[in-house]
Amino acid sequence: MDRREFVGLSAATLAAGFSLSSSEAHGAHEDFGLQPVADGVIDSPPVLQNPAPDAMTVSIAVRAISTAWVEYGTSSTLGQRADNSRHGLLPLDGRIHKIRLTGLKRGTRYWYRVGVCPIDFRGAYKITRGAAEFSEKYQFTTPGRASTASFRVINDTHENETTLKGVTERLAACKPGPTFWNGDVFNDVRHDNQVVSQLFRPGGSDYAASNPFCLVSGNHDVRGIHARQLDRFMDHPGGVRFFTLRDGPIAYLVMDTGEDKPDGHRVYAGLNDFARYRDAQRVWLERAIEEEEFRDAAVRVALMHIPLWGPGSSEDSRVKWAPLLARAGIHALICGHTHHHAITPLNADHPYVQVVGGGPAPESATVIEGHADSTGLALLVHDLAGKELANLTIPV
Ligand SMILES: [Fe+2]
């Protein structure tokens, strides 16, 4: 069977046994400017998600029904294998595989590669495996107790291809650390192919194959007929989009500010419930900031898409969360949304600096880098040409 026939069968199998995307179901056809990275079943480089001291999720996009696994180890010879079976079944999907590596050691470097095997699934007893394909071999380091740590923040890329190329090129030159994509990856979420194009190979890059990426959900990432399907491609701590993460001297706090207009606004047609969602996050936040891993960090960084202060800020988020952020001893709040890079110094209302990243146009886009040790946090903001827009030192 040649590959075209195989893919055709996969499409038929998808229609029979897997749910079609909503836009497909409605007959919508859009060209997402897809540029497959190579021929074959693998459709993206690996994307690391949901980093933990003892675990890491390896995700990869595929373009036909296939199974997948990860080979990994503490040396380039690998030696271990994660299969991620569930209820006794190994993975089988036509678009995305997510494999959780568990039992990892804290602060340890791992090598890995993903194996994908196309499956010709014609019936319960009529299944044929194709030839296995492998990703390149990459390395990552689990969060640990190192004395220093770094991170990177991008935001509001809004599907701008030139900007995606620019920010991913700059990320490749940054120190290792998690990348927080601080909202508005999308204009609105419409199709699986669009999700793969934006999150799994933005600008044709392997931006998250060695450094995990964390989605900080923006108001445009919860819009569109396919927005509810985004979780198929994502993995977050506890399966939710608000969480803490500790790496060395830094405790990160990620919150989900949701939409930018009240739930009752006519454009949402009664389909939004973000006010109660922010209430639930407040209840969670009260406990999260008391966790020892969070409290005993030298540096505490909060990330959320919509600012809490100044133009374009979220009043509902501010009312519900700001007192807790102050109590938590946050040192820096990093946001997006306004499409204009800005810095709001600390004051009596917010005893932390608020840094807002730039916008989707290449000339206004930014990459924010953070470097921390036990004495403080340095925040650098660059544009895509490498010009330094801000350089803050925040002692702790
Ligand atoms: Fe935006």
mmCIF file with all atom_site columns, all heavy atoms in Angstrom, residues 128-149:
data_model
loop_
_atom_site.group_PDB
_atom_site.id
_atom_site.type_symbol
_atom_site.label_atom_id
_atom_site.label_alt_id
_atom_site.label_comp_id
_atom_site.label_asym_id
_atom_site.label_entity_id
_atom_site.label_seq_id
_atom_site.pdbx_PDB_ins_code
_atom_site.Cartn_x
_atom_site.Cartn_y
_atom_site.Cartn_z
_atom_site.occupancy
_atom_site.B_iso_or_equiv
_atom_site.pdbx_formal_charge
_atom_site.auth_seq_id
_atom_site.auth_comp_id
_atom_site.auth_asym_id
_atom_site.auth_atom_id
_atom_site.pdbx_PDB_model_num
ATOM 1   N N   . THR A 1 128 ? -2.607 -3.780 10.674 1.00 0.00 ? 128 THR A N   1
ATOM 2   C CA  . THR A 1 128 ? -1.241 -3.960 10.176 1.00 0.00 ? 128 THR A CA  1
ATOM 3   C C   . THR A 1 128 ? -0.379 -2.774 10.579 1.00 0.00 ? 128 THR A C   1
ATOM 4   O O   . THR A 1 128 ? -0.797 -1.617 10.417 1.00 0.00 ? 128 THR A O   1
ATOM 5   C CB  . THR A 1 128 ? -1.250 -4.070 8.633  1.00 0.00 ? 128 THR A CB  1
ATOM 6   O OG1 . THR A 1 128 ? -2.193 -5.080 8.259  1.00 0.00 ? 128 THR A OG1 1
ATOM 7   C CG2 . THR A 1 128 ? 0.131  -4.439 8.106  1.00 0.00 ? 128 THR A CG2 1
ATOM 8   N N   . ARG A 1 129 ? 0.796  -3.068 11.105 1.00 0.00 ? 129 ARG A N   1
ATOM 9   C CA  . ARG A 1 129 ? 1.737  -2.004 11.469 1.00 0.00 ? 129 ARG A CA  1
ATOM 10  C C   . ARG A 1 129 ? 2.558  -1.604 10.249 1.00 0.00 ? 129 ARG A C   1
ATOM 11  O O   . ARG A 1 129 ? 2.969  -2.456 9.461  1.00 0.00 ? 129 ARG A O   1
ATOM 12  C CB  . ARG A 1 129 ? 2.692  -2.482 12.571 1.00 0.00 ? 129 ARG A CB  1
ATOM 13  C CG  . ARG A 1 129 ? 2.010  -2.791 13.882 1.00 0.00 ? 129 ARG A CG  1
ATOM 14  C CD  . ARG A 1 129 ? 3.018  -3.289 14.904 1.00 0.00 ? 129 ARG A CD  1
ATOM 15  N NE  . ARG A 1 129 ? 3.824  -2.207 15.461 1.00 0.00 ? 129 ARG A NE  1
ATOM 16  C CZ  . ARG A 1 129 ? 3.531  -1.574 16.578 1.00 0.00 ? 129 ARG A CZ  1
ATOM 17  N NH1 . ARG A 1 129 ? 2.445  -1.894 17.270 1.00 0.00 ? 129 ARG A NH1 1
ATOM 18  N NH2 . ARG A 1 129 ? 4.310  -0.614 17.020 1.00 0.00 ? 129 ARG A NH2 1
ATOM 19  N N   . GLY A 1 130 ? 2.800  -0.309 10.113 1.00 0.00 ? 130 GLY A N   1
ATOM 20  C CA  . GLY A 1 130 ? 3.708  0.182  9.081  1.00 0.00 ? 130 GLY A CA  1
ATOM 21  C C   . GLY A 1 130 ? 5.121  0.269  9.633  1.00 0.00 ? 130 GLY A C   1
ATOM 22  O O   . GLY A 1 130 ? 5.419  -0.239 10.713 1.00 0.00 ? 130 GLY A O   1
ATOM 23  N N   . ALA A 1 131 ? 5.984  0.934  8.882  1.00 0.00 ? 131 ALA A N   1
ATOM 24  C CA  . ALA A 1 131 ? 7.373  1.083  9.315  1.00 0.00 ? 131 ALA A CA  1
ATOM 25  C C   . ALA A 1 131 ? 7.480  2.212  10.338 1.00 0.00 ? 131 ALA A C   1
ATOM 26  O O   . ALA A 1 131 ? 6.891  3.279  10.157 1.00 0.00 ? 131 ALA A O   1
ATOM 27  C CB  . ALA A 1 131 ? 8.253  1.396  8.110  1.00 0.00 ? 131 ALA A CB  1
ATOM 28  N N   . ALA A 1 132 ? 8.200  1.970  11.414 1.00 0.00 ? 132 ALA A N   1
ATOM 29  C CA  . ALA A 1 132 ? 8.362  2.979  12.462 1.00 0.00 ? 132 ALA A CA  1
ATOM 30  C C   . ALA A 1 132 ? 9.189  4.159  11.955 1.00 0.00 ? 132 ALA A C   1
ATOM 31  O O   . ALA A 1 132 ? 10.123 3.992  11.163 1.00 0.00 ? 132 ALA A O   1
ATOM 32  C CB  . ALA A 1 132 ? 9.021  2.366  13.687 1.00 0.00 ? 132 ALA A CB  1
ATOM 33  N N   . GLU A 1 133 ? 8.814  5.344  12.420 1.00 0.00 ? 133 GLU A N   1
ATOM 34  C CA  . GLU A 1 133 ? 9.590  6.559  12.149 1.00 0.00 ? 133 GLU A CA  1
ATOM 35  C C   . GLU A 1 133 ? 10.014 7.146  13.493 1.00 0.00 ? 133 GLU A C   1
ATOM 36  O O   . GLU A 1 133 ? 9.349  6.937  14.503 1.00 0.00 ? 133 GLU A O   1
ATOM 37  C CB  . GLU A 1 133 ? 8.740  7.588  11.405 1.00 0.00 ? 133 GLU A CB  1
ATOM 38  C CG  . GLU A 1 133 ? 8.277  7.124  10.038 1.00 0.00 ? 133 GLU A CG  1
ATOM 39  C CD  . GLU A 1 133 ? 7.317  8.129  9.407  1.00 0.00 ? 133 GLU A CD  1
ATOM 40  O OE1 . GLU A 1 133 ? 7.291  9.296  9.837  1.00 0.00 ? 133 GLU A OE1 1
ATOM 41  O OE2 . GLU A 1 133 ? 6.586  7.723  8.495  1.00 0.00 ? 133 GLU A OE2 1
ATOM 42  N N   . PHE A 1 134 ? 11.095 7.916  13.462 1.00 0.00 ? 134 PHE A N   1
ATOM 43  C CA  . PHE A 1 134 ? 11.599 8.484  14.710 1.00 0.00 ? 134 PHE A CA  1
ATOM 44  C C   . PHE A 1 134 ? 11.862 9.968  14.558 1.00 0.00 ? 134 PHE A C   1
ATOM 45  O O   . PHE A 1 134 ? 12.295 10.436 13.501 1.00 0.00 ? 134 PHE A O   1
ATOM 46  C CB  . PHE A 1 134 ? 12.898 7.774  15.131 1.00 0.00 ? 134 PHE A CB  1
ATOM 47  C CG  . PHE A 1 134 ? 12.677 6.335  15.496 1.00 0.00 ? 134 PHE A CG  1
ATOM 48  C CD1 . PHE A 1 134 ? 12.793 5.334  14.534 1.00 0.00 ? 134 PHE A CD1 1
ATOM 49  C CD2 . PHE A 1 134 ? 12.319 5.988  16.792 1.00 0.00 ? 134 PHE A CD2 1
ATOM 50  C CE1 . PHE A 1 134 ? 12.560 4.007  14.860 1.00 0.00 ? 134 PHE A CE1 1
ATOM 51  C CE2 . PHE A 1 134 ? 12.096 4.669  17.132 1.00 0.00 ? 134 PHE A CE2 1
ATOM 52  C CZ  . PHE A 1 134 ? 12.214 3.670  16.158 1.00 0.00 ? 134 PHE A CZ  1
ATOM 53  N N   . SER A 1 135 ? 11.610 10.689 15.640 1.00 0.00 ? 135 SER A N   1
ATOM 54  C CA  . SER A 1 135 ? 12.014 12.098 15.679 1.00 0.00 ? 135 SER A CA  1
ATOM 55  C C   . SER A 1 135 ? 13.529 12.163 15.817 1.00 0.00 ? 135 SER A C   1
ATOM 56  O O   . SER A 1 135 ? 14.199 11.155 16.071 1.00 0.00 ? 135 SER A O   1
ATOM 57  C CB  . SER A 1 135 ? 11.374 12.792 16.887 1.00 0.00 ? 135 SER A CB  1
ATOM 58  O OG  . SER A 1 135 ? 11.989 12.349 18.095 1.00 0.00 ? 135 SER A OG  1
ATOM 59  N N   . GLU A 1 136 ? 14.060 13.360 15.687 1.00 0.00 ? 136 GLU A N   1
ATOM 60  C CA  . GLU A 1 136 ? 15.465 13.554 16.066 1.00 0.00 ? 136 GLU A CA  1
ATOM 61  C C   . GLU A 1 136 ? 15.611 13.291 17.567 1.00 0.00 ? 136 GLU A C   1
ATOM 62  O O   . GLU A 1 136 ? 14.639 13.267 18.309 1.00 0.00 ? 136 GLU A O   1
ATOM 63  C CB  . GLU A 1 136 ? 15.885 15.000 15.781 1.00 0.00 ? 136 GLU A CB  1
ATOM 64  C CG  . GLU A 1 136 ? 16.114 15.299 14.325 1.00 0.00 ? 136 GLU A CG  1
ATOM 65  C CD  . GLU A 1 136 ? 16.575 16.744 14.161 1.00 0.00 ? 136 GLU A CD  1
ATOM 66  O OE1 . GLU A 1 136 ? 17.430 17.196 14.944 1.00 0.00 ? 136 GLU A OE1 1
ATOM 67  O OE2 . GLU A 1 136 ? 16.046 17.407 13.264 1.00 0.00 ? 136 GLU A OE2 1
ATOM 68  N N   . LYS A 1 137 ? 16.846 13.123 17.991 1.00 0.00 ? 137 LYS A N   1
ATOM 69  C CA  . LYS A 1 137 ? 17.119 12.936 19.412 1.00 0.00 ? 137 LYS A CA  1
ATOM 70  C C   . LYS A 1 137 ? 17.330 14.315 20.053 1.00 0.00 ? 137 LYS A C   1
ATOM 71  O O   . LYS A 1 137 ? 18.075 15.131 19.515 1.00 0.00 ? 137 LYS A O   1
ATOM 72  C CB  . LYS A 1 137 ? 18.372 12.073 19.580 1.00 0.00 ? 137 LYS A CB  1
ATOM 73  C CG  . LYS A 1 137 ? 18.409 11.272 20.861 1.00 0.00 ? 137 LYS A CG  1
ATOM 74  C CD  . LYS A 1 137 ? 19.674 10.443 20.946 1.00 0.00 ? 137 LYS A CD  1
ATOM 75  C CE  . LYS A 1 137 ? 19.594 9.175  20.117 1.00 0.00 ? 137 LYS A CE  1
ATOM 76  N NZ  . LYS A 1 137 ? 20.823 8.348  20.267 1.00 0.00 ? 137 LYS A NZ  1
ATOM 77  N N   . TYR A 1 138 ? 16.642 14.559 21.160 1.00 0.00 ? 138 TYR A N   1
ATOM 78  C CA  . TYR A 1 138 ? 16.750 15.844 21.855 1.00 0.00 ? 138 TYR A CA  1
ATOM 79  C C   . TYR A 1 138 ? 17.095 15.607 23.327 1.00 0.00 ? 138 TYR A C   1
ATOM 80  O O   . TYR A 1 138 ? 17.020 14.478 23.824 1.00 0.00 ? 138 TYR A O   1
ATOM 81  C CB  . TYR A 1 138 ? 15.422 16.611 21.780 1.00 0.00 ? 138 TYR A CB  1
ATOM 82  C CG  . TYR A 1 138 ? 15.043 17.102 20.411 1.00 0.00 ? 138 TYR A CG  1
ATOM 83  C CD1 . TYR A 1 138 ? 14.177 16.361 19.605 1.00 0.00 ? 138 TYR A CD1 1
ATOM 84  C CD2 . TYR A 1 138 ? 15.521 18.312 19.928 1.00 0.00 ? 138 TYR A CD2 1
ATOM 85  C CE1 . TYR A 1 138 ? 13.815 16.813 18.341 1.00 0.00 ? 138 TYR A CE1 1
ATOM 86  C CE2 . TYR A 1 138 ? 15.155 18.774 18.674 1.00 0.00 ? 138 TYR A CE2 1
ATOM 87  C CZ  . TYR A 1 138 ? 14.303 18.026 17.882 1.00 0.00 ? 138 TYR A CZ  1
ATOM 88  O OH  . TYR A 1 138 ? 13.941 18.482 16.646 1.00 0.00 ? 138 TYR A OH  1
ATOM 89  N N   . GLN A 1 139 ? 17.420 16.703 24.015 1.00 0.00 ? 139 GLN A N   1
ATOM 90  C CA  . GLN A 1 139 ? 17.682 16.648 25.456 1.00 0.00 ? 139 GLN A CA  1
ATOM 91  C C   . GLN A 1 139 ? 16.786 17.652 26.177 1.00 0.00 ? 139 GLN A C   1
ATOM 92  O O   . GLN A 1 139 ? 16.455 18.699 25.625 1.00 0.00 ? 139 GLN A O   1
ATOM 93  C CB  . GLN A 1 139 ? 19.130 17.025 25.768 1.00 0.00 ? 139 GLN A CB  1
ATOM 94  C CG  . GLN A 1 139 ? 20.162 16.137 25.133 1.00 0.00 ? 139 GLN A CG  1
ATOM 95  C CD  . GLN A 1 139 ? 21.562 16.729 25.292 1.00 0.00 ? 139 GLN A CD  1
ATOM 96  O OE1 . GLN A 1 139 ? 21.919 17.205 26.372 1.00 0.00 ? 139 GLN A OE1 1
ATOM 97  N NE2 . GLN A 1 139 ? 22.324 16.711 24.234 1.00 0.00 ? 139 GLN A NE2 1
ATOM 98  N N   . PHE A 1 140 ? 16.420 17.323 27.409 1.00 0.00 ? 140 PHE A N   1
ATOM 99  C CA  . PHE A 1 140 ? 15.759 18.302 28.289 1.00 0.00 ? 140 PHE A CA  1
ATOM 100 C C   . PHE A 1 140 ? 16.244 18.059 29.708 1.00 0.00 ? 140 PHE A C   1
ATOM 101 O O   . PHE A 1 140 ? 16.813 17.006 30.014 1.00 0.00 ? 140 PHE A O   1
ATOM 102 C CB  . PHE A 1 140 ? 14.227 18.186 28.217 1.00 0.00 ? 140 PHE A CB  1
ATOM 103 C CG  . PHE A 1 140 ? 13.669 16.905 28.759 1.00 0.00 ? 140 PHE A CG  1
ATOM 104 C CD1 . PHE A 1 140 ? 13.456 16.717 30.124 1.00 0.00 ? 140 PHE A CD1 1
ATOM 105 C CD2 . PHE A 1 140 ? 13.340 15.859 27.902 1.00 0.00 ? 140 PHE A CD2 1
ATOM 106 C CE1 . PHE A 1 140 ? 12.943 15.522 30.611 1.00 0.00 ? 140 PHE A CE1 1
ATOM 107 C CE2 . PHE A 1 140 ? 12.829 14.661 28.382 1.00 0.00 ? 140 PHE A CE2 1
ATOM 108 C CZ  . PHE A 1 140 ? 12.623 14.496 29.743 1.00 0.00 ? 140 PHE A CZ  1
ATOM 109 N N   . THR A 1 141 ? 16.028 19.035 30.571 1.00 0.00 ? 141 THR A N   1
ATOM 110 C CA  . THR A 1 141 ? 16.385 18.901 31.980 1.00 0.00 ? 141 THR A CA  1
ATOM 111 C C   . THR A 1 141 ? 15.136 19.100 32.826 1.00 0.00 ? 141 THR A C   1
ATOM 112 O O   . THR A 1 141 ? 14.383 20.070 32.622 1.00 0.00 ? 141 THR A O   1
ATOM 113 C CB  . THR A 1 141 ? 17.463 19.940 32.368 1.00 0.00 ? 141 THR A CB  1
ATOM 114 O OG1 . THR A 1 141 ? 18.599 19.734 31.527 1.00 0.00 ? 141 THR A OG1 1
ATOM 115 C CG2 . THR A 1 141 ? 17.875 19.794 33.824 1.00 0.00 ? 141 THR A CG2 1
ATOM 116 N N   . THR A 1 142 ? 14.894 18.216 33.767 1.00 0.00 ? 142 THR A N   1
ATOM 117 C CA  . THR A 1 142 ? 13.730 18.352 34.646 1.00 0.00 ? 142 THR A CA  1
ATOM 118 C C   . THR A 1 142 ? 13.946 19.511 35.624 1.00 0.00 ? 142 THR A C   1
ATOM 119 O O   . THR A 1 142 ? 15.090 19.814 35.989 1.00 0.00 ? 142 THR A O   1
ATOM 120 C CB  . THR A 1 142 ? 13.494 17.058 35.442 1.00 0.00 ? 142 THR A CB  1
ATOM 121 O OG1 . THR A 1 142 ? 14.749 16.665 36.034 1.00 0.00 ? 142 THR A OG1 1
ATOM 122 C CG2 . THR A 1 142 ? 12.979 15.946 34.564 1.00 0.00 ? 142 THR A CG2 1
ATOM 123 N N   . PRO A 1 143 ? 12.856 20.158 36.060 1.00 0.00 ? 143 PRO A N   1
ATOM 124 C CA  . PRO A 1 143 ? 12.991 21.202 37.073 1.00 0.00 ? 143 PRO A CA  1
ATOM 125 C C   . PRO A 1 143 ? 13.679 20.635 38.316 1.00 0.00 ? 143 PRO A C   1
ATOM 126 O O   . PRO A 1 143 ? 13.463 19.473 38.672 1.00 0.00 ? 143 PRO A O   1
ATOM 127 C CB  . PRO A 1 143 ? 11.544 21.588 37.378 1.00 0.00 ? 143 PRO A CB  1
ATOM 128 C CG  . PRO A 1 143 ? 10.770 21.167 36.178 1.00 0.00 ? 143 PRO A CG  1
ATOM 129 C CD  . PRO A 1 143 ? 11.472 19.963 35.632 1.00 0.00 ? 143 PRO A CD  1
ATOM 130 N N   . GLY A 1 144 ? 14.506 21.473 38.943 1.00 0.00 ? 144 GLY A N   1
ATOM 131 C CA  . GLY A 1 144 ? 15.250 20.962 40.088 1.00 0.00 ? 144 GLY A CA  1
ATOM 132 C C   . GLY A 1 144 ? 15.515 22.006 41.140 1.00 0.00 ? 144 GLY A C   1
ATOM 133 O O   . GLY A 1 144 ? 14.730 22.954 41.298 1.00 0.00 ? 144 GLY A O   1
ATOM 134 N N   . ARG A 1 145 ? 16.619 21.814 41.842 1.00 0.00 ? 145 ARG A N   1
ATOM 135 C CA  . ARG A 1 145 ? 16.943 22.729 42.943 1.00 0.00 ? 145 ARG A CA  1
ATOM 136 C C   . ARG A 1 145 ? 18.225 23.498 42.648 1.00 0.00 ? 145 ARG A C   1
ATOM 137 O O   . ARG A 1 145 ? 18.962 23.853 43.569 1.00 0.00 ? 145 ARG A O   1
ATOM 138 C CB  . ARG A 1 145 ? 17.097 21.927 44.239 1.00 0.00 ? 145 ARG A CB  1
ATOM 139 C CG  . ARG A 1 145 ? 15.805 21.272 44.691 1.00 0.00 ? 145 ARG A CG  1
ATOM 140 C CD  . ARG A 1 145 ? 15.841 20.954 46.178 1.00 0.00 ? 145 ARG A CD  1
ATOM 141 N NE  . ARG A 1 145 ? 14.533 20.562 46.679 1.00 0.00 ? 145 ARG A NE  1
ATOM 142 C CZ  . ARG A 1 145 ? 14.206 19.324 46.999 1.00 0.00 ? 145 ARG A CZ  1
ATOM 143 N NH1 . ARG A 1 145 ? 15.080 18.341 46.874 1.00 0.00 ? 145 ARG A NH1 1
ATOM 144 N NH2 . ARG A 1 145 ? 13.000 19.052 47.460 1.00 0.00 ? 145 ARG A NH2 1
ATOM 145 N N   . ALA A 1 146 ? 18.489 23.772 41.385 1.00 0.00 ? 146 ALA A N   1
ATOM 146 C CA  . ALA A 1 146 ? 19.689 24.526 41.022 1.00 0.00 ? 146 ALA A CA  1
ATOM 147 C C   . ALA A 1 146 ? 19.626 25.922 41.655 1.00 0.00 ? 146 ALA A C   1
ATOM 148 O O   . ALA A 1 146 ? 18.548 26.421 41.992 1.00 0.00 ? 146 ALA A O   1
ATOM 149 C CB  . ALA A 1 146 ? 19.795 24.638 39.500 1.00 0.00 ? 146 ALA A CB  1
ATOM 150 N N   . SER A 1 147 ? 20.765 26.559 41.794 1.00 0.00 ? 147 SER A N   1
ATOM 151 C CA  . SER A 1 147 ? 20.799 27.873 42.441 1.00 0.00 ? 147 SER A CA  1
ATOM 152 C C   . SER A 1 147 ? 20.376 28.990 41.487 1.00 0.00 ? 147 SER A C   1
ATOM 153 O O   . SER A 1 147 ? 20.086 30.102 41.916 1.00 0.00 ? 147 SER A O   1
ATOM 154 C CB  . SER A 1 147 ? 22.202 28.154 42.984 1.00 0.00 ? 147 SER A CB  1
ATOM 155 O OG  . SER A 1 147 ? 23.135 28.078 41.923 1.00 0.00 ? 147 SER A OG  1
ATOM 156 N N   . THR A 1 148 ? 20.357 28.696 40.187 1.00 0.00 ? 148 THR A N   1
ATOM 157 C CA  . THR A 1 148 ? 19.901 29.690 39.212 1.00 0.00 ? 148 THR A CA  1
ATOM 158 C C   . THR A 1 148 ? 18.861 29.049 38.297 1.00 0.00 ? 148 THR A C   1
ATOM 159 O O   . THR A 1 148 ? 18.811 27.818 38.159 1.00 0.00 ? 148 THR A O   1
ATOM 160 C CB  . THR A 1 148 ? 21.064 30.204 38.338 1.00 0.00 ? 148 THR A CB  1
ATOM 161 O OG1 . THR A 1 148 ? 21.590 29.099 37.583 1.00 0.00 ? 148 THR A OG1 1
ATOM 162 C CG2 . THR A 1 148 ? 22.175 30.798 39.188 1.00 0.00 ? 148 THR A CG2 1
ATOM 163 N N   . ALA A 1 149 ? 18.043 29.884 37.672 1.00 0.00 ? 149 ALA A N   1
ATOM 164 C CA  . ALA A 1 149 ? 17.061 29.385 36.700 1.00 0.00 ? 149 ALA A CA  1
ATOM 165 C C   . ALA A 1 149 ? 16.709 30.504 35.732 1.00 0.00 ? 149 ALA A C   1
ATOM 166 O O   . ALA A 1 149 ? 16.815 31.692 36.075 1.00 0.00 ? 149 ALA A O   1
ATOM 167 C CB  . ALA A 1 149 ? 15.801 28.884 37.412 1.00 0.00 ? 149 ALA A CB  1
#
